Amino acid sequence: MSHNTIGHLFRVTTWGESHGPAIGCVIDGCPPLIPITEAEIQVELDRRRPGQSRFTTQRREPDTVRILSGVFEDETTGGQVTTGTPIALQIENVDQRSKDYTEIRKRYRPGHADYSYDVKYGIRDYRGGGRSSARETAMRVAAGAIARKIVPGLKVRGALVRIGEHEIDRSRWDWDAIGSNPFFCPDPVMAENWETYLDAIRKDGSSVGAVIEVVAEGVPPGLGAPVYGKLDQDICAALMSINAVKGVEIGNGFEAGRIRGEDNADEIRLDDAGNPVFLSNKAGGVLGGISSGQPVVARFAVKPTSSILKPVKTITSTPEETEISTKGRHDPCVGIRVVPIGEAMLAIILADHYLRHRGQTGRSAGQSAGQS
Amino acid sequence: MSHNTIGHLFRVTTWGESHGPAIGCVIDGCPPLIPITEAEIQVELDRRRPGQSRFTTQRREPDTVRILSGVFEDETTGGQVTTGTPIALQIENVDQRSKDYTEIRKRYRPGHADYSYDVKYGIRDYRGGGRSSARETAMRVAAGAIARKIVPGLKVRGALVRIGEHEIDRSRWDWDAIGSNPFFCPDPVMAENWETYLDAIRKDGSSVGAVIEVVAEGVPPGLGAPVYGKLDQDICAALMSINAVKGVEIGNGFEAGRIRGEDNADEIRLDDAGNPVFLSNKAGGVLGGISSGQPVVARFAVKPTSSILKPVKTITSTPEETEISTKGRHDPCVGIRVVPIGEAMLAIILADHYLRHRGQTGRSAGQSAGQS
Amino acid sequence: MSHNTIGHLFRVTTWGESHGPAIGCVIDGCPPLIPITEAEIQVELDRRRPGQSRFTTQRREPDTVRILSGVFEDETTGGQVTTGTPIALQIENVDQRSKDYTEIRKRYRPGHADYSYDVKYGIRDYRGGGRSSARETAMRVAAGAIARKIVPGLKVRGALVRIGEHEIDRSRWDWDAIGSNPFFCPDPVMAENWETYLDAIRKDGSSVGAVIEVVAEGVPPGLGAPVYGKLDQDICAALMSINAVKGVEIGNGFEAGRIRGEDNADEIRLDDAGNPVFLSNKAGGVLGGISSGQPVVARFAVKPTSSILKPVKTITSTPEETEISTKGRHDPCVGIRVVPIGEAMLAIILADHYLRHRGQTGRSAGQSAGQS
Amino acid sequence: MSHNTIGHLFRVTTWGESHGPAIGCVIDGCPPLIPITEAEIQVELDRRRPGQSRFTTQRREPDTVRILSGVFEDETTGGQVTTGTPIALQIENVDQRSKDYTEIRKRYRPGHADYSYDVKYGIRDYRGGGRSSARETAMRVAAGAIARKIVPGLKVRGALVRIGEHEIDRSRWDWDAIGSNPFFCPDPVMAENWETYLDAIRKDGSSVGAVIEVVAEGVPPGLGAPVYGKLDQDICAALMSINAVKGVEIGNGFEAGRIRGEDNADEIRLDDAGNPVFLSNKAGGVLGGISSGQPVVARFAVKPTSSILKPVKTITSTPEETEISTKGRHDPCVGIRVVPIGEAMLAIILADHYLRHRGQTGRSAGQSAGQS
């Protein structure tokens, strides 16, 4: 049992507070001989880093990652590889502004973890949200950069598909557009609309929710397990563990609750090589908790950040009634920076299930009974 | 790591196939001295049992539960209580019709786990779905009957809030109506509509999806943990582990992705006794992964069963292209019988987190720093 | 965390009390397609069964095992194989004599778990020792029968090497002798001495301790893991979890604490095929927590049963001072029947580590870097 | 499942190689509000540090520990306390001599993990033993310093009771003597003998084994759990996980295998307050896997380090036959520095079981049914 660990065979344990000296993680159970460098992890971290556009918080953290253990030079290639022992990653916190936290120390921000942490532990590091800060998610992205390399041929990508009232038009979906706008938006037209929309919200000192979609291609069939080791169950848990997430769905998700059986079937044919071909993917790549070989598709909703300019009623820890409002740097839509985090969580779960499947069955990639 | 176990300190491990001799579960870590009888568990099982109306499968299983271990007579009260050792529950399978399974043995039913199980394991007990059958959920309900007794004052209830196109009107919500219709529907007017609607679907040999809402009242504040031990994360995983579930949300869920921060705040006041009172519950009773003392509210979507009369394209394990259709007994809306299962999963997670919280902090019920 | 589960990927959860309706276990994570029958498990159970000679308790339990789930007919061979889903095994308790337990109910037997269970849980099933009875170990042996089949080529055997003052002469070690005496004794001469020795103890109403040695041959190199996943650590824990065990050692064990480095080295040469050959096995087949390919050798000490004729001072739960003595059936040397239990525990740990190693590295059997 | 984690509710995960930039650990699940400072941890680390006498390796590591997360200022006392979130501890490696590792890189040292690591992972950080180095144990001692504070009133101490052929005389046992000699020896006379004995071994370039005894006083009754969560089982595993340990025993241990039941009974009386008093402690404080309230006593044997001057036969990874001998700094008896490590492991297991017991039963300290 582990409050700060995710995964079973590929295990990621994170630690650190927003305004402590550093944050870090330990990855245990990583297979040996996986090539990995700090630079590769840094690429992923840079995608999540705040302060890259006016739509994300202006906190400036270089977020420079160091690998402190678990890698060594491979004599054959000369490159650095994992050794199978724990990989410790670490990022120093350098932008801990010597801010006055008197106000936040006593006043519970509605929608934040302030009250519930205090009730649970009787104490909390209130500086910048402490352990409940989204700063922890930097380590998820870092660990995800390694997780991405475990399943051969795996490709995990994410996109923002909704900001508040505005959802993308899926007929315009273009993965290449993702990198061309500050929103990870696959719909170039909508990206422009969002710019105007979000500018207004930002100027209001308000915030807005979002929906993110993450897609994994190259998932071998057979990952997951029946009953309580379902692949989609673990994906949902991983996404739900991200700060501010309030809902998760696989494949057609909640839509499945509205339609009939004949509209929900993913029919199957054979391709020329005799391999199964699904004619649709309403299931989102998971059947009975086990991957089918189709792309794994999940979506999750992120609430608007509770840090807004408009004063809201709350209480102090004393307790007394009061109000609170947030000035200064914050994300008008935290959903934007959540995209690489969602990708990382999906990659971590897939890496874990890949090793679990291999452990139980001895097979790295699924083969049907007829094929084996 | 455990494919067939849920929970960390309150642990439920289930076993058994649909058409094997029996199904069962082992509950490990249950506190001692909890009064429990077979009759109490049976009450919950009877709520889930098929064949109770024309809207659920006509498979008839008396589902008589036996307690095989972990209980003993309390000398003080004379009643039966838990001893703290593993509780084994068991139900014999008595309605294993000697059906001809030739067809299902080779033909992969789209939307079912047939194909993915075969790919993963190279073998499966295909009779009645084997391990992937919803029959396993009987043990969830049985274990849930014990879980309900762990957190003092806890009340867990569920309701069907949508069948296909028809959602309830929340202004008519009446918990007392739940027992008066065959749908666990809290809206008496909608229950009547559903009857007509579902009759038509049943006669078509079709099926339809549904949405279930589960609510836990009396949850002490402080349950859950930051980061990867979030209460809502574990609730979502538990609900997602139920067969046919495709989406899960907490509080206002996906709605949170559509609104602004000022519309999402749960403001806080003090009552006359100086205790926090939340003016709304958009968060669904969980803040930063930790319970706030408000009711915990979750919803989840169940897909329409894939067993329908209309033939759908599929393949055999040979593999060859073919078609499949389902005649005979089945649920037109599996969502109905899922209501007590959802309640059970919520109760199990709350019991587990109650013990986890108590283990780490030594406190059974949360108190704010100011109160302690 | 699991009080009644052993193993991580090959997981065995046992349940049941000595005088309840049944005892059982659930094996989760077993690989699919392993051939297994009830008869094969029964063979192992019969080796442990009491009442087979005058040196073991006269309690008569047929101990007939049933497989309730997790197996299915393999279409290719027609034989029964595992499916990868949980395997439930069960034995009904048939010799629950309607004995008067008034005395044992209130009186704490020194050396037994009576007092500590009562302190921990505030209640216990005192009939025949309840959960703390050695009856639980029947399920270890049953699970071990399956575990023995996981690592290809593995052979696990055990022997009694000491009863009380009398240790075997290792120069006379003969594995074939094990089955020819009622002690699992590999030294035929000592077996005869033990017969006289133990008869005297039995007639005295006394008991005596013993030392068991278990040996696994065919263990591939590479099983185990550094630091807290050491193979010898897990073997020691598994053996220590057997009732009445007070000490465990690997290889030369405590002797290692008495000698010098030059007397402790297992030197290495190459055989004609270029494979490593160790010139001795003081390490007991484990180096740095990881198997070396040599036989894994462990020994453990079992205390004399505390149930003896001679009255000993104790207290009641009231509490009051009193005395207690044991008449009737009991084992003069419980160590005898522990031999197959020790073998089972060793097999379970090796099966688990085999799957763990395969999960992390993708290799089923170890190969040195130079060989791969 | 976790190769580098120990504990279930009080969880310690260590990372780092002997010659990497740093070593560290993450403690998850620690209760909040436990006062702790770097200075307190440093005191324990200094007891283990090498280079303090001529009998331990001359490697000089200041071993300065830093707390990087999980603590905060307690407003009431002004002191630093735990917050309930993960505690990250870290020590920089500063004495990584730029040594030539060519020889050790290819040559497998008998008795070391060189060969088995290479076989398992296909790669290893060979510098100074890498992950298999005893350097990892510094983090055990650091974590143990926090673990010691979890169980109120707990006192954990250790002593060296044997070096090679020379065992202490228990009639001279004096805990105060421990700090007055370089061996943690409780027998002042034997300490002087050891000095001469070990000087000779050191000058020979040889090494010798040892036996350590660890004792925990103030252990509340009720800690532990039946079957696979036994307190003594977990203690044995924890001690066995320490480098070079080959055997572990609880209470009278292997002696129990040699004696009769009447010589093994710990009889019970009542003191004036009506509390149980055991007349001996052959059980070592554990009955049926659960603490009895007596001191918990365990002993473990440490082999002589394999690094000796005398050349021993071995192979290279190529593989080719060769010889190896060790010059330069090493411990003639690694058992000495293991004493504080053994204490730390015992403290960690007791802390973990304390939280586990509290989680399941809601009681922090055991009370008998009659007393509650």
Side-chain angles (χ1 to χ4, degrees), chain C residues 193-254:
Chain C
N193 295 352
W194 284 352
E195 205 150 331
T196 320
Y197 177 63
L198 213 54
D199 262 333
I201 286 169
R202 189 172 55 86
K203 281 167 192 161
D204 284 358
S206 182
S207 65
V208 70
V211 175
I212 292 98
E213 181 165 318
V214 285
V215 179
E217 290 163 287
V219 180
L223 306 195
V227 186
Y228 305 115
K230 289 191 166 84
L231 182 61
D232 41 354
Q233 164 189 6
D234 284 351
I235 290 170
C236 281
L239 296 175
M240 200 75 193
S241 78
I242 302 172
N243 308 41
V245 175
K246 299 303 289 181
V248 186
E249 57 185 13
I250 295 284
N252 60 356
F254 274 89

Side-chain angles (χ1 to χ4, degrees), chain B residues 24-258:
Chain B
C25 74
V26 182
I27 302 168
D28 197 7
C30 185
L33 303 172
I34 306 281
I36 191 75
T37 63
E38 287 174 352
E40 287 171 293
I41 302 173
Q42 198 63 50
V43 167
E44 290 298 325
L45 280 170
D46 289 350
R47 294 177 64 223
R48 175 203 162 275
R49 200 173 53 196
Q52 302 196 94
S53 81
R54 66 183 183 277
F55 302 111
T56 58
T57 175
Q58 296 306 301
R59 171 168 174 159
R60 298 217 170 263
E61 291 276 6
D63 279 359
T64 308
V65 71
R66 288 183 67 204
I67 304 178
L68 295 181
S69 69
V71 296
F72 203 62
E73 191 191 280
D74 182 1
E75 289 184 20
T76 320
T77 65
Q80 184 174 260
V81 298
T82 58
T83 60
T85 62
I87 302 166
L89 304 179
Q90 196 162 316
I91 295 173
E92 286 189 49
N93 288 329
V94 296
D95 184 33
Q96 312 146 27
R97 295 193 188 180
S98 53
K99 196 173 155 185
D100 179 7
Y101 284 103
T102 319
E103 185 152 315
I104 198 180
R105 184 164 64 90
K106 292 291 186 195
R107 224 170 273 210
Y108 295 134
R109 295 168 296 165
H112 278 278
D114 303 346
Y115 169 69
S116 55
Y117 265 61
D118 244 16
V119 167
K120 182 176 191 73
Y121 297 117
I123 189 171
R124 81 197 142 95
D125 180 346
Y126 43 76
R127 300 167 305 160
R131 182 67 182 149
S132 74
S133 165
R135 181 133 188 76
E136 183 269 344
T137 59
M139 298 323 302
R140 302 178 181 226
V141 172
I146 298 178
R148 285 170 190 269
K149 305 190 127 200
I150 307 302
V151 184
L154 181 73
K155 186 171 194 175
V156 177
R157 292 183 291 189
L160 202 62
V161 297
R162 170 188 285 277
I163 295 185
E165 301 154 62
H166 302 289
E167 192 172 357
I168 61 156
D169 179 338
R170 285 175 175 269
S171 71
R172 290 192 296 249
W173 190 294
D174 175 11
W175 279 114
D176 293 334
I178 298 276
S180 314
N181 61 69
F183 306 110
F184 300 99
C185 179
D187 170 355
V189 179
M190 183 52 71
E192 286 185 39
N193 295 352
W194 283 352
E195 205 151 330
T196 320
Y197 177 64
L198 214 53
D199 262 333
I201 286 169
R202 188 171 56 86
K203 282 166 190 161
D204 283 359
S206 183
S207 65
V208 71
V211 176
I212 291 99
E213 182 165 317
V214 284
V215 180
E217 290 163 286
V219 180
L223 305 194
V227 186
Y228 305 116
K230 289 191 166 82
L231 182 62
D232 41 354
Q233 165 189 5
D234 285 350
I235 290 170
C236 281
L239 296 175
M240 201 74 192
S241 78
I242 301 172
N243 308 41
V245 174
K246 299 302 289 181
V248 186
E249 56 184 15
I250 295 285
N252 60 356
F254 275 88
E255 177 66 14
R258 299 188 191 101

Side-chain angles (χ1 to χ4, degrees), chain A residues 1-6 8-9 12 14 110-113 115-122 131 136 140 162 164-165 201 204 206-211 221-230 232-233 236-237 240-241 243 246-250 253-254 256-262 264-270 274 276 278-279 282-283 286-288 290-292 299-305 308 310 312-315 317 319-322 345 356-357 360-361 363 366-370, chain B residues 1-6 8-9 12 14 110-113 115-122 131 136 140 162-165 201 204 206-210 221-230 232-233 236-237 240-241 243 246-250 253-254 256-262 264-270 274 276 278-279 282-283 286-288 290-292 299-305 308 310-315 317 319-322 345 356-357 360-361 363 366-370:
Chain A
M1 212 211 47
S2 35
H3 294 153
N4 294 278
T5 299
I6 192 158
H8 293 265
L9 297 197
V12 180
T14 72
H112 279 278
Y115 170 70
S116 55
Y117 264 61
D118 243 15
V119 167
K120 182 175 191 73
Y121 297 118
R131 181 68 182 149
E136 183 271 343
R140 301 177 182 227
R162 170 188 284 277
E165 300 153 62
I201 286 168
D204 284 359
S206 183
S207 64
V208 70
V211 175
L223 306 194
V227 186
Y228 305 116
K230 289 193 166 83
D232 41 355
Q233 164 190 4
C236 278
M240 201 74 193
S241 78
N243 309 39
K246 299 303 288 181
V248 186
E249 56 185 16
I250 294 285
F254 275 89
R258 299 188 192 101
I259 62 177
R260 292 196 178 201
E262 49 272 39
N264 199 52
D266 292 321
E267 295 186 302
I268 324 177
R269 297 284 81 179
L270 294 171
F278 292 84
L279 305 185
K282 283 151 197 156
V286 184
L287 287 172
I290 297 171
S291 64
S292 66
R299 260 177 315 283
F300 57 103
V302 177
K303 71 177 180 182
T305 179
I308 51 174
K310 190 187 158 193
V312 288
K313 294 172 187 149
T314 192
I315 59 170
S317 58
E320 278 170 38
E321 297 192 340
T322 181
M345 298 317 288
R356 289 162 73 170
H357 177 65
Q360 185 178 14
T361 69
R363 283 178 288 173
Q367 293 172 291
S368 76
Chain B
M1 212 211 49
S2 36
H3 294 153
N4 294 279
T5 299
I6 192 158
H8 293 264
L9 297 196
V12 180
T14 71
H112 278 278
Y115 169 69
S116 55
Y117 265 61
D118 244 16
V119 167
K120 182 176 191 73
Y121 297 117
R131 182 67 182 149
E136 183 269 344
R140 302 178 181 226
R162 170 188 285 277
I163 295 185
E165 301 154 62
I201 286 169
D204 283 359
S206 183
S207 65
V208 71
L223 305 194
V227 186
Y228 305 116
K230 289 191 166 82
D232 41 354
Q233 165 189 5
C236 281
M240 201 74 192
S241 78
N243 308 41
K246 299 302 289 181
V248 186
E249 56 184 15
I250 295 285
F254 275 88
R258 299 188 191 101
I259 61 177
R260 290 196 178 201
E262 48 273 39
N264 199 51
D266 293 320
E267 295 186 302
I268 324 178
R269 297 284 83 180
L270 294 171
F278 292 85
L279 304 185
K282 282 150 197 155
V286 184
L287 286 172
I290 296 172
S291 64
S292 67
R299 263 178 314 283
F300 57 103
V302 176
K303 71 178 181 182
T305 178
I308 52 174
K310 190 185 160 196
V312 287
K313 293 172 189 149
T314 191
I315 58 170
S317 58
E320 278 169 38
E321 297 192 339
T322 182
M345 297 318 288
R356 289 162 72 170
H357 177 65
Q360 186 178 13
T361 68
R363 284 178 287 171
Q367 292 171 293
S368 77

Side-chain angles (χ1 to χ4, degrees), chain C residues 3 116-117 120 206 222 224 226 228 230 241 246 248 250 262 267 269-270 283 287 313 321-322 357 363, chain D residues 3 116-117 120 206 222 224 226 228 230 241 246 248 250 262 267 269-270 283 287 313 321-322 357 363:
Chain C
H3 294 154
S116 55
Y117 265 61
K120 182 176 189 73
S206 182
Y228 305 115
K230 289 191 166 84
S241 78
K246 299 303 289 181
V248 186
I250 295 284
E262 48 273 39
E267 294 186 303
R269 298 283 82 179
L270 294 171
L287 287 172
K313 293 173 189 147
E321 297 191 338
T322 182
H357 177 65
R363 284 177 287 172
Chain D
H3 294 154
S116 55
Y117 264 61
K120 182 176 190 74
S206 182
Y228 304 116
K230 289 191 165 83
S241 78
K246 299 303 288 182
V248 185
I250 295 284
E262 47 274 39
E267 294 186 304
R269 298 283 81 179
L270 294 171
L287 287 171
K313 294 172 189 150
E321 297 191 339
T322 183
H357 177 66
R363 284 177 288 171

